[in-house]
Amino acid sequence: MNLPNKITLSRIFLVPIFMLFIIPIPKWLMNAEFLGGMHEQLVIINHFIMKNGNYIAAIFFIIAASTDGVDGYIARKRKQVTIFGKFLDPIADKLLVTAAIIALVERREVTGWSAMIIIGREFMVTGLRLVAAGEGIVISASKWGKIKTVMQVIAISVSLIPVSSFINFPIDNYLMLIAIIITVYSGYDYIAKNVSVLKHDY
């Protein structure tokens, strides 16, 4: 396995580590009989997660997000672009953002509507790419798609820290709103530029 693919895989492996620090242990598990002797320890862990977990999770998220683009750059520079890499890279990106958005919904720091729009857009574009691939057409990442990814990473990072509590201004909400607007527009841009794929008669 070449270096670019290893970097992409590392982004995927960082997702469960990120989730461990951002999502509290569920109550049903804390109260489970087979963990009865560990209840006090689990309460302490949960308290830590709720108080400080988001800061640690933010570090892992930013590290993982920063590898996006690095793997592609190295692959192109070293001429190590592979089919496996092309398959894995978008999955890693979507998995990271989806995990972060769901975790923020769990912590009630992002609305379900925001999550639905962001995740729904990814389903729509992925579906379009699958249809296009069936016709032998490759839909590459667009400028707006790249801007969308950058804006989502910024909005999620600020929501994780969270910056608003330090500056007494809901900057995380405004950044998330901007990210959602760009997400919707980038989805429209993909459809508008590739609508011919959907009009193909079989």
Side-chain angles (χ1 to χ4, degrees), residues 29-197:
L29 184 57
M30 291 182 63
N31 297 326
E33 291 185 8
F34 68 93
L35 293 176
M38 299 176 59
H39 183 74
E40 290 185 8
Q41 291 87 345
L42 293 175
V43 170
I44 293 172
I45 292 172
N46 245 13
H47 178 71
F48 175 82
I49 291 174
M50 290 302 297
K51 188 177 181 181
N52 303 304
N54 54 332
Y55 298 105
I56 300 173
I59 293 172
F60 283 110
F61 177 81
I62 292 170
I63 291 173
S66 66
T67 65
D68 184 22
V70 174
D71 47 7
Y73 172 77
I74 294 175
R76 290 188 296 271
K77 187 175 182 180
R78 295 187 177 184
K79 296 181 180 179
Q80 294 180 333
V81 178
T82 63
I83 298 298
F84 180 67
K86 289 181 180 179
F87 164 77
L88 199 63
D89 186 64
I91 290 177
D93 298 341
K94 290 173 175 55
L95 185 61
L96 179 63
V97 170
T98 300
I101 286 293
I102 291 174
L104 287 170
V105 170
E106 174 79 12
R107 291 180 67 110
R108 300 189 180 186
E109 293 172 15
V110 167
T111 66
W113 277 107
S114 300
M116 186 60 206
I117 291 171
I118 290 173
I119 296 172
R121 182 265 183 201
E122 300 305 330
F123 273 112
M124 181 185 69
V125 172
T126 299
L128 179 62
R129 280 178 167 161
L130 287 173
V131 172
E135 292 298 304
I137 301 170
V138 176
I139 300 177
S140 58
S142 68
K143 177 186 72 174
W144 280 105
K146 294 176 181 177
I147 293 173
K148 175 268 303 179
T149 300
V150 171
M151 197 63 232
Q152 286 180 355
V153 168
I154 293 172
I156 290 170
S157 299
V158 172
S159 296
L160 285 169
I161 296 176
V163 176
S164 298
S165 60
F166 298 111
I167 62 175
N168 197 29
F169 179 77
I171 188 172
D172 53 342
N173 293 336
Y174 286 102
L175 287 173
M176 189 60 69
L177 177 61
I178 293 171
I180 289 170
I181 292 171
I182 294 175
T183 295
V184 171
Y185 181 78
S186 68
Y188 163 78
D189 185 59
Y190 269 104
I191 295 294
K193 289 180 178 178
N194 300 282
V195 68
S196 58
V197 174

